[in-house]
């Protein structure tokens, strides 16, 4: 499989190059040259597979030419061996035709593990084959950092530096990162805000000499391999609920649009998905877009669901590319307008196509807490604020009878204990694997908010003079 850029100018690449490259050189995002599809019979034959077996079948067409079936099977086996639930992504029923899929049984208790655990092993495999190594650098306000660290820890061909704003992440989130003692994991507490951390990382990547010298790389949510690994659980849920002989609807709590885009890919591959309900908090750029056809940037406000507190949904560009019939020049123009004026408007035809499949719904913090309380009272299921937005969005949408709706639960309630306690009076405890998190020793370096210091620190840590 070859991959092309959404802005139409960067060279087409193979899967392993796309894995290591991340962003395309023309500023676009890589997507497969064509969508591989399954026939109805082929989808039916996927029923009854284990999560790992299904993952191999779903990802196989995307890695063709880069990984053999044996290699893919081995990487998938390693990736999901660290998950605690035998079903990997269990479905729970909340009511007639209402389901949640729990995507928080990985090592850091958030859905990002489902992609990053695979990506960590895939990176290591490809790098070893090439005899090269990389230095991953990233900034985090919480969730992504720990999932990336768990994915890269103890990999010989990778060093990972994660910056967090000193004193500005929750204790659970910081400790999930800083208590990892692996020699290739380097946590940095930067004396600044999350934006300072992001700016510092951007400055490192903009320094081409340093970037090449250190072989800098990222594992952010625009990496195609992350999307690909997420396609699997849409098939998993769909097959469990009767696909391909019955349609299904997904409600997805959305930030960067990576998760819900993976669902779109599953639909392109032939899974009968009737609709996507895109849930947002007060940072509702996507909901406003689906209401008006205009994508317009606004300031970010803090909410109970911080992993969705975003200004721009970067993966949306991949959907635009398809809606504009893969016209890279059109996407490039829209993105240029967005950069210049903070807004763009989608033409009538592509807009109609998107509205046929997506609906945006916004939830306030008050509504989110009310849903957490109500679902706990009526089903016993404890939802974190992100997952609650999905469930509430699923309930708000109007659907014909007999179509199951699956809300994606993207984080374990114990990751957001304050919000869950405020809603229910019940403080969720950490699962056993993290029960001693507050007794573990922490390891991190404190650095001033200064790019020169950061560069020197990375050089010194990696023994490069
Ligand atoms: C990252 C994250 C999201 C948003 O997912 P996107 O792929 O960015 O849309 C939602 N919930 C949780 C808990 C997350 O960590």
């Amino acid at each position: 499989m070859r991959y092309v850029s959404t802005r139409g100018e960067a060279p087409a690449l193979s899967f392993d190059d796309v894995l290591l490259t991340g962003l395309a050189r023309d500023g676009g995002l890589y997507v497969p040259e064509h969508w591989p599809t399954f026939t109805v019979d082929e989808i039916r034959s996927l029923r009854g597979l284990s999560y790992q077996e299904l993952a191999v079948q779903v990802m196989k067409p995307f890695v063709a030419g880069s990984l053999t079936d044996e290699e893919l099977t081995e990487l998938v086996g390693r990736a999901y061996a660290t998950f605690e639930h035998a079903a990997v992504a269990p479905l729970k029923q909340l009511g007639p035709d209402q389901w949640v899929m729990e995507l928080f049984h990985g090592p850091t208790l958030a859905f990002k593990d489902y992609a990053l655990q695979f990506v960590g092993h895939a990176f290591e495999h490809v790098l070893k084959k090439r005899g090269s190594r990389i230095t991953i650098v990233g900034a985090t306000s919480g969730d992504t950092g720990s999932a990336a660290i768990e994915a890269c820890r103890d990999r010989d061909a990778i060093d990972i530096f994660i910056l967090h704003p000193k004193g500005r992440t929750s204790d659970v989130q910081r400790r999930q990162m800083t208590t990892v003692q692996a020699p290739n994991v380097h946590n940095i507490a930067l004396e600044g805000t999350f934006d300072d951390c992001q700016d510092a990382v951007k400055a490192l990547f903009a320094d081409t000499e340093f970037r090449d010298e250190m072989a800098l790389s990222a594992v952010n949510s625009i990496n195609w391999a992350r999307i690909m690994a997420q396609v699997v659980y849409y098939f998993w849920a769909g097959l469990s609920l009767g696909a391909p002989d019955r349609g299904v609807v997904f409600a997805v709590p959305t930030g960067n649009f990576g998760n819900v885009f993976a669902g779109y890919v599953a639909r392109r591959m032939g899974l009968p998905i009737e609709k996507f309900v895109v849930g947002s908090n007060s940072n509702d750029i996507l909901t406003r877009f689906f209401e008006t056809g205009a994508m317009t940037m606004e300031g970010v406000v803090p909410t109970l669901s911080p992993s969705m507190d975003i200004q721009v949904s970067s993966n949306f560009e991949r959907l635009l590319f398809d809606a504009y019939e893969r016209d890279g020049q059109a996407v490039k123009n829209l993105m240029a307008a967005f950069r210049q004026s903070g807004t763009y408007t989608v033409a009538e035809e592509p807009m109609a196509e998107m509205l046929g499949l997506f609906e945006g719904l916004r939830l306030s913090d008050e509504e989110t807490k009310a849903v957490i309380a109500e679902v706990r009272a009526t089903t016993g299921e404890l939802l974190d604020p992100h997952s609650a937005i999905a469930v509430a969005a699923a309930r708000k949408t109007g659907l014909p009878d007999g179509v199951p709706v699956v809300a994606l639960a993207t984080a374990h309630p114990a990751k957001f204990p304050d919000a869950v306690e405020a809603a229910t009076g019940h403080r969720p405890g950490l699962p056993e694997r993290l029960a001693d998190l507050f007794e573990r020793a922490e390891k991190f370096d404190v650095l001033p908010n200064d790019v020169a210091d950061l560069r020197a620190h990375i050089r010194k840590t990696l023994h490069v003079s």
Side-chain angles (χ1 to χ4, degrees), residues 133 149 152-161 177 179-187 443 445 457 460-463:
R133 49 180 305 117
I149 285 171
C152 295
R153 66 181 298 170
D154 301 314
R155 308 265 168 274
D156 298 334
I158 303 173
D159 276 281
I160 179 166
F161 290 82
M177 299 189 283
T179 58
V180 176
Q181 297 291 339
N184 69 329
V185 171
H186 316 287
N187 277 289
K443 183 186 103 172
D445 293 297
H457 173 80
K460 190 170 132 245
T461 307
L462 300 182
H463 309 295

Side-chain angles (χ1 to χ4, degrees), residues 110-112 143 253-259 307-308 384 386 410-411 416:
F111 90 99
K112 292 187 173 69
D143 269 0
T254 303
N256 262 320
F257 209 76
N259 197 357
S307 298
M308 296 156 66
D384 100 289
H386 305 79
T410 50
F416 301 94

